[in-house]
Amino acid sequence: WLQAHPRPGIYLRQVDLPGIHSKFIEAQRAVLTELLDQVLPPDAVDAAARGAGQFAARYGFRDKPLRVRLRFLDPQHTAWVPGTDADYTISAPAFVGLDPPVRRVFITENEINFLAFPPVTDSLVVFGAGYGFDALAQAAWLHQRMLHYWGDIDTHGFAILEQLRSHFPHALSFLMDRDTLLAHQNQWVTEPQPTQRDLPLLDRDERRLYDDLRWRRLREEPLRLEQERIAYGMVEQKVAAL
């Protein structure tokens, strides 16, 4: 079928083959990759797309669009809905073209923090996705906004901040400082698989704290302060200080 319909530009479940369940291709991507690479011409295969997660891109199928979830934080904004959380989900291309009239954008990795983020004038908050900012990287308008990243205080939290700065060098960390960490010692947990790689895009204070975490200077066990364990009152104070 793919020899007759190279790079078809449809979703996998739109492939209409007699006797083949719509989920068959999705379930057999690893085996099918080995076979299709042998029988398809080179111009029908995107060799740069690797792994089961890139199967659709490799053979020219449509993939599910990336989505961006956001909330407008200003009660005076036209998108504010009184009495609700004003929670919107849009496609990545729609986010790229959004260019909203706000001065400040927050990114947080925790859903409850996203939903409970306090009101802020001329601001919105985006629900992040850990490692990976593909849905945000093409939004040129973010370069003209103040950008704050709120992740866990652990080695991977700073590694994700580093990744964000590779796209947006002006991004600032939010509630990822030493004072916040030390104020919540009774909320510390163990980071399961810490990283120790160098993170050159951190600023001086962030790098010092990151070094303390990766070299275990604060305690013998790998340390994590999850963002959802930070007192909500401190979140409100930090927002007010901005």
Side-chain angles (χ1 to χ4, degrees), residues 73-241:
L73 299 173
D74 189 345
Q76 303 304 315
H77 194 279
T78 55
W80 181 270
V81 182
T84 74
D85 55 21
D87 182 356
Y88 299 94
T89 300
I90 62 177
S91 69
F95 184 80
V96 168
L98 189 63
D99 197 15
V102 298
R103 294 175 52 246
R104 195 183 307 269
V105 175
F106 298 88
I107 301 173
T108 182
E109 299 293 338
N110 179 268
E111 185 176 28
I112 297 302
N113 287 348
F114 165 77
L115 293 172
F117 205 95
V120 191
T121 302
D122 289 336
S123 301
L124 63 81
V125 61
V126 173
F127 183 33
Y131 286 103
F133 292 101
D134 291 345
L136 308 184
Q138 303 305 313
W141 58 268
L142 285 175
H143 290 279
Q144 282 76 53
R145 306 300 192 274
M146 298 185 70
L147 193 58
H148 302 266
Y149 176 76
W150 182 13
D152 295 332
I153 302 181
D154 63 5
T155 62
H156 285 284
F158 283 111
I160 296 171
L161 173 63
E162 166 101 355
Q163 186 183 61
L164 177 64
R165 283 198 179 135
S166 70
H167 299 291
F168 304 101
H170 69 295
L172 302 172
S173 58
F174 179 77
L175 286 170
M176 297 177 68
D177 55 90
R178 187 179 302 275
D179 289 344
T180 300
L181 179 64
L182 297 179
H184 293 82
Q185 291 190 45
N186 62 340
Q187 297 294 333
W188 291 359
V189 296
T190 300
E191 185 179 18
Q193 293 182 319
T195 182
Q196 293 184 338
R197 61 188 176 90
D198 291 337
L199 302 177
L201 298 183
L202 300 184
D203 67 26
R204 182 183 62 180
D205 291 338
E206 293 162 352
R207 188 175 298 112
R208 287 176 176 173
L209 181 53
Y210 173 68
D211 285 344
D212 286 346
L213 293 171
R214 65 170 170 166
W215 305 130
R216 306 186 189 182
R217 294 170 179 164
L218 298 174
R219 71 174 191 182
E220 292 184 3
E221 294 179 300
L223 170 60
R224 162 185 285 173
L225 175 62
E226 295 169 313
Q227 57 192 275
E228 62 267 31
R229 294 176 180 265
I230 296 175
Y232 189 71
M234 181 174 285
V235 180
E236 293 178 308
Q237 291 173 10
K238 184 73 171 181
V239 167

